[in-house]
Amino acid sequence: MTIKKVTTVRPNSNWSFIDTKELFEYRELVWVMMLRDLKVRYKQTVMGVAWAVLQPLTMIAIFSIIFGKLAKIPSDGYPYPVFVFSGLLAWNFFSTSVSSSGLSLVNASNLVSKVYFPRIIVPIASIGVSMVDFLISAVLLVLLMLFYSQSISWSILYLPFFLAGLIFLSMGLGSWLSAVTVTYRDFRYVIAYLMQIWMYITPVLYPVSFVPEKWQWILYLNPMYAWINGIRASFLGQPIDVFGTIISLALTIVIFIVGMLYFEKTQRRFADII
């Protein structure tokens, strides 16, 4: 005799958090959707996975020429390609994660409207795909550091902590944007515009020291501040800004909780309006 599990879906008018127990039960679906998204991304492409290598290398070359050679942006004593890549490593993950997860529900409308499963799996799977690109880029950064005779210090042990903070920030913002985009489709354009502006107000292409000291406090209002600088410091062996990390951590926790609460509040309407 086969026992089938029955899932009862009830409307919830109160604010509640994501059901982590249910999410754990559907953990295999996260993996399946990640693999599906990876196959879709590279299926029937000329270069395949090589795009994950070509894109960051192209960005490094362009930024190094424009900002490193022409604009003479300082790089804290490091070769500018290494400095900018260590920042782009974190930024590209964040930008790709938020952009893809923000549009993930709309892109999976056929699945969302027909089958029940925890909807939060869709944006989470999108972020998981971005992790693959992050790992590939991390290997490229290490090779670039070896090319420029830059050694990796013990600070690399901090990397899991800062990467975890970056993931939670991406999940919080991405889940909120995915829920909003279901109702307001023009937010797909807002996401792209937001990422463009956000990049230039984050110390990705320039060091914190490039900002006048009297204005550096503004950087602390940016939740990406510590995760960009922390991942860069992990690879390059720079000092960790503990105060800035605490502020970014607090902002990230708030964004993550608000994003998850809003997603859980609105997900019962997704199948009707998507």
Side-chain angles (χ1 to χ4, degrees), residues 104-158:
S104 59
L105 288 175
V106 175
N107 293 337
S109 58
N110 291 335
L111 184 62
V112 172
S113 60
K114 294 179 180 178
V115 182
Y116 174 78
F117 59 92
R119 308 307 191 203
I120 193 63
I121 286 179
V122 180
I124 288 178
S126 299
I127 295 174
V129 173
S130 300
M131 180 58 67
V132 175
D133 292 339
F134 178 90
L135 295 176
I136 294 174
S137 296
V139 173
L140 290 178
L141 175 58
V142 172
L143 294 177
L144 189 65
M145 292 178 65
L146 293 176
F147 178 79
Y148 281 97
S149 301
Q150 300 292 313
S151 60
I152 299 177
S153 71
W154 59 268
S155 298
I156 196 67
L157 298 176
Y158 293 133

Side-chain angles (χ1 to χ4, degrees), residues 181-256:
T181 306
V182 169
T183 305
Y184 307 103
R185 299 302 172 88
D186 55 342
F187 257 76
R188 68 179 64 194
Y189 309 112
V190 175
I191 295 174
Y193 180 74
L194 174 64
M195 290 298 103
Q196 291 179 359
I197 299 299
W198 201 336
M199 177 178 176
Y200 290 103
I201 61 176
T202 303
V204 177
L205 307 177
Y206 54 87
V208 175
S209 58
F210 184 70
V211 180
E213 188 173 352
K214 65 177 180 179
W215 299 113
Q216 288 183 7
W217 64 271
I218 299 178
L219 296 175
Y220 289 137
L221 303 178
N222 184 349
M224 274 295 291
Y225 169 79
W227 312 132
I228 287 285
N229 283 344
I231 290 177
R232 173 177 280 151
S234 298
F235 280 97
L236 303 185
Q238 295 177 315
I240 303 296
D241 186 348
V242 177
F243 179 71
T245 300
I246 293 174
I247 295 178
S248 289
L249 180 60
L251 292 174
T252 296
I253 292 174
V254 171
I255 292 173
F256 177 77

